[in-house]
Amino acid sequence: MLEAAILIFIYFLLFFIVATVIKNNSIVDIGWGFGFVLIVWMLLAVTETVGIPQIIITALTTVWGLRLFYHILKRNKRKGEDFRYAKWRREWGKWVVPRAFFQVFMLQGLFMFIVSLSAILTAEAEIKLFIVPLVLAGICVWGIGFFFESVGDHQLKVFISKPENRGKLMTSGLWKYTRHPNYFGEATMWWGMFLIALGAGASVAAILSPLTITFLLLFVSGVPLVEKPMWERPEFREYAKHTSKFFPWFPHE
């Protein structure tokens, strides 16, 4: 655990320094996925006895983390500071540097540590015989989550790229069944990781990983921040009447 904590601290400290220099705290979002990739590979390097579940978690995290890293990097390329962070910059005034350090970078580092507990506790587990059905179930759940996040992101990217859709809402594809397929997908992937960790004999404390990311996406930094300005639009309010907020379901009247 200590190695992971130190790595996360250094990682976000570097992002904080760069963000302060370029005056763009939203680059912290770019580092989210890649940070987990560094953690799982560091754990793989320092673990004396590596089991199959840890290798699986390392592989799945790498696939997810690199895809998300590339997606956000490309999306934010040559763009200014995200409106959320720009708002905080204005509100914090002369205290923007220390508050950004603790409330943006170190806080996100803390969340990264908690969310990565499934990987950390799997690496620390004394693996002898792992529970195959649990591990397989975890892989399947992760696959469902990866599908929703990656396909949802791709569908939105294609929709936004078309000039005729400028100013319109994305309400087709996976977005017809949930207003946030990408957030649902990310949370689901970590529930899959948790099942793999349980199958590897990790402590039940690993449940803090999916619980934390689900809570953050559903109630803190995901859905609420994205939807708050959207509620001013009549077409979004109509869309929200018929479409599930988070968990995918058929549109209702």
Side-chain angles (χ1 to χ4, degrees):
M1 280 195 185
L2 181 60
E3 294 95 337
I6 293 173
L7 175 63
I8 292 171
F9 174 76
I10 295 174
Y11 182 70
F12 278 105
L13 177 62
L14 292 175
F15 265 89
F16 165 72
I17 293 172
V18 174
T20 302
V21 171
I22 67 175
K23 292 183 171 55
N24 186 350
N25 289 326
S26 61
I27 67 168
V28 71
D29 293 338
I30 298 173
W32 179 251
F34 193 70
F36 287 98
V37 176
L38 292 179
I39 292 170
V40 294
W41 281 97
M42 181 275 294
L43 291 171
L44 200 66
V46 302
T47 303
E48 292 183 6
T49 304
V50 176
I52 292 177
Q54 186 178 355
I55 294 174
I56 292 172
I57 285 180
T58 301
L60 297 182
T61 302
T62 301
V63 170
W64 162 75
L66 290 181
R67 189 212 70 85
L68 185 63
F69 168 72
Y70 177 74
H71 172 73
I72 297 179
L73 180 65
K74 191 173 182 181
R75 185 188 67 187
N76 294 359
K77 190 177 180 180
R78 288 192 284 272
K79 286 186 179 180
E81 191 170 47
D82 182 86
F83 75 94
R84 297 166 297 173
Y85 298 94
K87 179 175 179 291
W88 291 335
R89 184 178 294 278
R90 292 192 299 271
E91 292 174 349
W92 293 342
K94 64 180 181 179
W95 297 103
V96 64
V97 173
R99 291 193 67 171
F101 177 76
F102 289 108
Q103 292 179 235
V104 175
F105 295 89
M106 291 300 106
L107 184 59
Q108 192 154 147
L110 174 62
F111 289 142
M112 180 175 285
F113 178 80
I114 297 173
V115 174
S116 64
L117 278 176
S118 288
I120 294 172
L121 294 176
T122 296
E124 293 184 350
E126 296 181 3
I127 303 173
K128 293 180 181 178
L129 293 175
F130 59 90
I131 305 173
V132 176
L134 265 181
V135 173
L136 292 178
I139 294 173
C140 290
V141 171
W142 181 92
I144 293 171
F146 186 74
F147 171 81
F148 269 87
E149 183 179 69
S150 58
V151 174
D153 280 341
H154 177 70
Q155 289 176 340
L156 182 61
K157 177 184 174 182
V158 172
F159 180 83
I160 293 176
S161 68
K162 297 179 179 179
E164 62 268 27
N165 292 329
R166 191 175 299 248
K168 295 181 180 179
L169 287 175
M170 173 64 170
T171 60
S172 58
L174 294 179
W175 302 80
K176 179 180 180 180
Y177 304 99
T178 165
R179 305 202 298 265
H180 302 278
N182 47 353
Y183 291 155
F184 167 77
E186 181 160 345
T188 301
M189 278 187 284
W190 286 106
W191 282 102
M193 295 286 198
F194 166 65
L195 292 177
I196 297 172
L198 277 189
S203 166
V204 291
I207 198 172
L208 289 173
S209 171
L211 281 177
T212 299
I213 192 64
T214 302
F215 177 79
L216 290 175
L217 291 173
L218 194 50
F219 300 110
V220 183
S221 61
V223 174
L225 285 181
V226 171
E227 290 200 347
K228 186 176 180 180
M230 301 290 287
W231 282 103
E232 299 176 2
R233 301 172 59 177
E235 64 269 32
F236 179 79
R237 292 197 294 270
E238 185 64 24
Y239 169 59
K241 283 182 184 178
H242 307 288
T243 310
S244 173
K245 178 180 180 180
F246 191 74
F247 299 98
W249 195 246
F250 296 101
H252 50 272
E253 295 298 328

